[in-house]
Amino acid sequence: MKKIILILLSIIVLIVVGFLVFVNTSYDVRHEQSYPELAASTDSAVIARGKYLVYGPAHCASCHTPMDKMVAVDQGADIPLSGGWSLQIPPGTFRAPNLTPDMETGIGSFTDGEIARAMRYAVAKDGRALFPFMPFQEMSDEDVVAIISFLRSQEPVKNMVPPTEYSFLGKALLALGAIGPEGPKNTPPKVVKKDSSVVYGKYLANIVANCAGCHTERDLKSGEFIGEKFAGGMQFPPDNLSQGYSFVSPNITMDKSSGVIASWTEESFIARFRSGRVHKTSPMPWGSYSRMDEIELKALWRYLSSLDPIQREVAQTVFEPGEEIP
Ligand code: HEC
Ligand code: HEC
């Protein structure tokens, strides 16, 4: 009997040690994803569109500016994208790098293809898989080019952001391929015409502004979508940015009994977005969205109004420090 227990214990120890060695020797995978053939432009209209996207609906600025400048960015200042946002979560400490054209610390040495690949495939310049903070895979060619063109047009700022650090869990996710390159599921469009139509609203809500990514219930560990789209219920437990608060996203379908905007009008929807942040540490990038113009806000409203109403009660969206999400 004793012998059997010893043998079993030895097997367990071997498996554990084997897994530790496996993770530590194989997490550092470099992916050889090909580069999208997109090239930056110096056309001022293209650069202006890129700037609008970066500080507005695509909200790159809400992460790629220094954390002590976030309030200023929220209030409309064009702070350079010199990096600095960092989020500490179980897989590691993730840091948003410097996206100004500085040669050593920014994207000065990146090719257009390297920047485009990060956005389309979630693969960094060095081939590392990027954690899925940036689901812009199906952004149109025209908009990706506009963003790269704007990034190149900025003044270079020297600011060394320390690299992302993975915990053992993060390394295990990388080694097992759970964090890996993530390409577009559909062929990205060349152009999506900007107007206040449902088609453009759909593009904004699902891709550029990614309302769907937060207003749909998801598995907190895998990120997998488990709820009805736009019916809310995604949980945001306290993190190093939320000052102890937790959040749950509301249902933004037009269901009369449970949809938060069902009783709003186009005018009140636009006014709510213009007024920006109400809850200081809400994860929603209200400041960036407050820069969206009327055409885009109308498109969003019309798209959300066109969706099937889904009945799903989200009783509370803001939780005080210490308060449990039921
Ligand atoms: C929610 C926060 C967030 C938003 C929004 C965001 N980023 Fe990032 N970005 C990050 C983080 C964090 C990393 C590093 C991730 C990692 O190390 O796995 C990153 C990495 C990158 C990289 C990779 C650089 C390299 O090493 O190759 C590029 C390029 C980039 N972001 C561009 C953008 C652009 C362009 C936008 C807007 C269209 C954007 N990001 C929006 C947080 C964000
Ligand atoms: C990073 C996650 C995130 C993203 C992206 C996001 N939201 Fe939210 N949203 C939340 C959370 C959490 C709340 C609840 C806290 C609050 O009201 O700020 C919320 C609240 C709201 C509300 C209710 C506001 C109120 O005053 O009652 C509306 C409407 C809304 N979001 C619409 C949108 C739309 C439209 C988009 C895309 C343009 C979007 N959200 C993108 C997380 C997000």
Side-chain angles (χ1 to χ4, degrees):
M1 188 64 196
K2 240 183 170 172
K3 230 179 180 171
I4 296 179
I5 292 178
L6 262 176
I7 291 173
L8 283 178
L9 273 178
S10 317
I11 293 175
I12 292 172
V13 168
L14 272 176
I15 292 175
V16 170
V17 171
F19 185 66
L20 289 175
V21 171
F22 162 73
V23 166
N24 279 301
T25 52
S26 52
Y27 79 91
D28 195 10
V29 194
R30 301 299 153 122
H31 300 277
E32 300 204 0
Q33 191 71 50
S34 59
Y35 299 100
E37 285 180 30
L38 297 173
S41 151
T42 51
D43 182 306
S44 61
V46 174
I47 292 174
R49 168 74 179 162
K51 180 175 180 187
Y52 173 79
L53 288 166
V54 162
Y55 286 99
H59 59 279
C60 322
S62 71
C63 295
H64 286 275
T65 50
M67 291 175 87
D68 59 353
K69 301 283 189 327
M70 290 297 168
V71 175
V73 174
D74 244 22
Q75 291 168 348
D78 295 340
I79 305 291
L81 303 181
S82 61
W85 181 85
S86 85
L87 186 69
Q88 215 179 330
I89 47 178
T93 302
F94 294 85
R95 301 194 179 91
N98 182 346
L99 299 182
T100 72
D102 183 60
M103 282 309 278
E104 287 149 51
T105 64
I107 53 153
S109 66
F110 285 47
T111 63
D112 293 337
E114 283 166 348
I115 304 172
R117 186 177 73 166
M119 295 173 68
R120 279 264 157 92
Y121 294 98
V123 175
K125 178 185 167 73
D126 63 8
R128 193 169 52 90
L130 293 164
F131 201 72
F133 289 112
M134 299 175 288
F136 302 114
Q137 279 78 2
E138 291 174 31
M139 192 182 268
S140 71
D141 288 353
E142 186 181 62
D143 286 344
V144 172
V145 164
I147 287 178
I148 300 173
S149 306
F150 166 68
L151 294 179
R152 295 244 183 265
S153 76
Q154 300 170 97
E155 284 297 319
V157 176
K158 196 169 279 316
N159 180 35
M160 191 42 137
V161 176
T164 283
E165 286 165 72
Y166 302 103
S167 65
F168 181 75
L169 172 66
K171 289 180 182 171
L173 292 171
L174 285 164
L176 298 168
I179 305 176
E182 189 77 50
K185 295 200 177 58
N186 305 293
T187 310
K190 294 233 167 326
V191 177
V192 183
K193 187 166 166 278
K194 176 173 165 175
D195 55 24
S196 48
S197 67
V198 169
V199 172
Y200 189 73
K202 179 179 180 187
Y203 173 63
L204 280 179
N206 288 281
I207 298 178
V208 179
N210 190 32
C211 320
C214 287
H215 284 276
T216 308
E217 186 174 357
R218 296 170 72 171
D219 182 309
L220 285 188
K221 288 202 185 68
S222 64
E224 207 182 322
F225 288 79
I226 50 180
E228 297 264 21
K229 234 175 171 187
F230 299 108
M234 178 165 170
Q235 299 188 359
F236 298 84
D239 58 39
N240 62 318
L241 307 175
S242 74
Q243 298 175 3
Y245 282 84
S246 323
F247 296 88
V248 178
S249 59
N251 179 346
I252 55 170
T253 73
M254 294 292 178
D255 179 62
K256 288 268 174 298
S257 68
S258 60
V260 62
I261 60 173
S263 60
W264 297 11
T265 60
E266 184 172 283
E267 290 69 42
S268 63
F269 179 82
I270 293 173
R272 174 68 193 88
F273 272 80
R274 282 285 152 73
S275 64
R277 190 172 288 284
V278 172
H279 305 287
K280 212 171 93 197
T281 62
S282 168
M284 179 159 154
W286 283 106
S288 298
Y289 295 154
S290 71
R291 298 194 192 194
M292 275 196 271
D293 62 24
E294 193 152 317
I295 299 172
E296 294 201 336
L297 290 171
K298 277 190 175 153
L300 267 179
W301 172 257
R302 286 177 193 172
Y303 170 65
L304 293 174
S305 306
S306 78
L307 296 172
D308 286 339
I310 291 158
Q311 214 256 322
R312 184 190 202 283
E313 189 67 37
V314 178
Q316 187 179 343
T317 58
V318 185
F319 294 80
E320 303 275 330
E323 204 182 344
E324 291 279 331
I325 301 177

